[in-house]
């Protein structure tokens, strides 16, 4: 029996885990709640216990596995196998997670940040399959990304490669949590869409369900904005158009720099599908150099929530 | 005696050539005029004759060389070793230049476009030495570039990687020769600076030598604008500030995507030195993500006109 891979996708609410074969097929997957109490000190023991139990339940031993890969929020030190500044895990100080995994499970371990790991997943088994140059952009609460060039994930000199959510699309635009203004994230994240909708409703004169809802206590979500746009709401369509303009503009800067085979759009906002993809592609093409306009394809992510565990597991292939 | 490298930097006016050792030291360099008459049919024979003569004059034979690398304008097919659409060489149809070189000189030959080759030169022996991730931007008549990641030049799926001159910095801005609007090239190339100066002079009210010169038949150059800015001219300083704003903004998009160790600025406009570099760095930092702001350094190119032959020669190292 050929050896298997283990992938872990650590999140602030749930932690997803999976066993995969060397071809990237998911053999078993499960999730546990992430217990971030007591400064996140239960997180790694819980993960380790859960993996140990699943190995036993499957009638296997650690020797049946090649290694473990993990994606995590926060700042990752890949050389030391540690994570710091993972505030939504309550990890303020550096956590020696590779040491903990190796001590307890005796398997080699690789770690990277969650957006990079999702990029690896889509590259390996999703929308980017078999393409050497792929950029992944995830539109969630924030906007993150990962860049794969010549078949390798790029990290940059200080781990900042793939911070495409902070490309400036509107000088002196909205204030971003990063301290700058006008970052893509302030317009194209789920929270950005909601903020833009609230702003644009202020100056909207006409008939719109979205404009009406903005006057009530109704909680407006990015999903609702795209739903209303799909159903012909004028304001919602104006908001979506603005979001897609900024997204297409930022992706054209990436395209004009790298000319990747694909730019893959994932994360919660991407569930809007073609309502997001089609206008974004138009604005991308308006701003992309002629030889890039049609050769770099914008695609929707294909793996959904599995991108993290699949990409994480792919990092363990290096231990074969 | 260890074998040597040959580098060729083909240009519309002159062609530069050099012999280098394997460490990238230039042993001999010379240039010839590029004769683009008769549909550019004399270009390669002249280059071949010149190299043959220099090999003989040096008391050497082709066997003393590892191979030849060349940078050229136009669209390069690296697999076939051919060049097309090199309009300033009068090469409209595809030119089998590798075949010509190999038939005549019997040496292995590699070719890439001139901006990529200059990037390799600065990476190998110039401002980017020993850094794995470097982006090179050249501000000349146009704006070109090259991207080196994980120590390798990126080409992208259709050869468009490094087209950073066409990053959109001003939606609906100046018309670019590429057909789009608001490309970096329309503001930060030598011709862009001149155009911006002419435009800004129209609405300038105040005392300025540049504004006065714009009223005469005097030919305004990018060099003159930077010279006047250095000498306190108000309008010239406003023009330079705008150029640096757009350049810093475009470079921040590159930084936020790749977090390279260096972004190296070369080409004629870069001879303005710190008058260009300092404000550009400010605008870059305003728009770069915090972890990138100080880790990605903006630097001036160091090799000047030698970047091309040095980078070209570096491509021949693969034939060792």
């Amino acid at each position: 029996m050929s050896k298997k891979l283990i992938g872990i996708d650590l999140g602030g609410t749930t932690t997803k885990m999976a066993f995969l074969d060397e071809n990237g097929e998911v053999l078993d997957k499960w999730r546990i709640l992430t217990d971030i109490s007591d400064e996140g000190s239960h997180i790694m023991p819980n993960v380790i216990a859960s993996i140990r139990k699943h190995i036993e339940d499957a009638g296997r031993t650690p020797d049946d596995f090649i290694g473990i890969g993990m994606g995590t929020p926060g700042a990752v030190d890949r050389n030391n196998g540690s994570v710091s500044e993972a505030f939504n895990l309550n990890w303020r100080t550096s956590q020696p997670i590779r040491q903990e995994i190796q001590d307890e499970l005796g398997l080699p371990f690789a770690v990277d940040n969650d957006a990079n790991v999702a990029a690896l997943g889509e590259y390996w088994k999703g929308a980017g399959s078999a393409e050497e140059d792929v950029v992944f952009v995830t539109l969630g609460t924030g906007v993150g990304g990962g860049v794969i060039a010549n078949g390798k994930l790029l990290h940059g000199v200080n781990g900042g490669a793939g911070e495409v959510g902070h490309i400036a699309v509107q000088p002196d635009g909205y204030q971003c949590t990063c301290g700058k203004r006008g970052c893509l994230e302030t317009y194209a994240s789920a929270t950005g869409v909601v903020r833009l909708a609230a702003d644009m409703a202020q100056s909207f004169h006409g008939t719109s369900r979205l404009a009406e809802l903005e006057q009530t206590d109704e909680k407006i979500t990015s999903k609702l904005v795209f739903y209303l746009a799909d159903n012909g709401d004028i304001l919602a369509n104006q908001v979506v158009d603005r979001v897609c303009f900024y997204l297409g503009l930022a992706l054209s800067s990436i395209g004009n720099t790298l000319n990747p085979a694909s730019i893959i759009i994932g994360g919660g906002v991407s569930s809007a599908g073609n309502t997001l993809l089609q206008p974004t592609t138009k604005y991308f093409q308006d701003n992309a150099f002629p030889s890039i306009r049609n050769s770099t394809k914008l695609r929707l992510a294909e793996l959904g929530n599995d991108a993290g565990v699949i990409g994480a597991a792919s990092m363990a292939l290096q231990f074969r």
Side-chain angles (χ1 to χ4, degrees), chain A:
Chain A
M1 190 195 76
S2 67
K3 290 193 171 193
K4 310 304 179 202
L5 308 165
I6 299 175
I8 308 171
D9 178 10
L10 197 55
T13 309
T14 63
T15 297
K16 302 176 194 78
M17 287 166 273
F19 295 158
L20 289 84
D21 67 20
E22 290 179 67
N23 298 318
E25 296 305 315
V26 176
L27 306 171
D28 186 15
K29 64 178 179 179
W30 71 97
R31 60 173 68 197
I32 62 174
L33 289 176
T34 307
D35 176 2
I36 63 169
S37 66
D38 302 325
E39 299 186 343
S41 61
H42 306 296
I43 294 173
M44 290 309 294
N46 288 351
V47 164
I48 289 165
S50 179
I51 289 174
R52 187 176 275 141
K53 181 168 184 312
H54 270 76
I55 292 176
E56 284 170 15
D57 288 353
R60 295 190 169 153
T61 71
D63 273 355
D64 294 326
F65 294 87
I66 295 165
I68 304 179
M70 185 166 106
T72 172
V76 174
D77 184 328
R78 290 175 301 124
N79 290 330
N80 293 331
S82 63
V83 179
S84 58
E85 296 170 48
F87 300 109
N88 60 350
L89 300 176
N90 271 340
W91 282 351
R92 279 148 222 285
T93 58
S94 179
Q95 306 285 317
I97 54 174
R98 183 166 66 204
Q99 199 60 51
E100 295 176 59
I101 290 269
Q102 288 181 345
D103 285 354
E104 294 293 329
L105 296 172
L107 285 167
F109 178 78
V111 60
D112 211 320
N113 85 50
D114 42 15
N116 281 343
V117 163
L120 286 173
E122 288 288 343
Y123 171 70
W124 193 27
K125 300 300 293 183
S129 286
E131 296 173 326
E132 288 224 316
D133 291 357
V134 164
V135 175
F136 177 72
V137 180
T138 175
L139 312 176
T141 313
V143 173
V147 179
I148 292 164
N150 287 334
K152 286 199 170 173
L153 192 65
L154 298 188
H155 290 94
V157 68
N158 195 29
E163 287 292 359
V164 297
H166 301 280
I167 289 177
V169 292
Q170 179 65 64
D172 300 319
Y174 287 158
Q175 179 71 47
C176 184
T177 53
C178 80
K180 305 196 296 137
R181 283 188 170 275
C183 296
L184 173 64
E185 176 166 305
T186 66
Y187 299 97
S189 64
T191 43
V193 172
V194 170
R195 180 179 185 173
L196 195 57
D199 253 24
M200 290 177 70
Q202 301 272 337
S203 55
F204 180 79
H205 301 290
T207 306
S208 155
R209 179 79 186 126
L210 176 57
E212 284 167 26
L213 289 169
E214 292 281 0
Q215 305 292 339
T216 70
D217 285 343
E218 190 77 22
K219 183 170 159 32
I220 310 290
T221 62
S222 142
K223 189 166 267 185
L224 177 65
V225 173
F226 280 96
Y227 171 80
L228 291 172
D230 260 346
N231 285 277
D233 187 279
I234 297 171
L235 173 60
N237 273 292
Q238 290 176 355
V239 173
V240 167
D241 187 70
R242 190 81 74 90
V243 169
C244 294
F245 169 75
Y246 287 128
L247 181 58
L249 184 65
L251 299 187
S252 78
S253 295
I254 298 170
N256 289 331
T257 304
L258 297 172
N259 189 23
S262 299
I263 300 178
I264 301 169
I265 306 170
V269 176
S270 76
S271 61
N274 278 331
T275 307
L276 177 79
L277 185 64
Q278 283 177 356
T280 300
T281 300
K282 177 199 173 295
Y283 289 118
F284 169 83
Q285 293 186 335
D286 283 352
N287 292 291
F289 189 65
S291 69
I292 294 162
R293 193 169 293 151
N294 295 302
S295 62
T296 291
K297 309 286 188 196
L298 268 52
R299 299 180 205 277
L300 295 168
E302 293 178 358
L303 300 179
N305 286 329
D306 289 348
V309 288
I310 293 174
S314 78
M315 295 192 295
L317 285 170
Q318 68 182 291
F319 302 123
R320 279 187 296 195

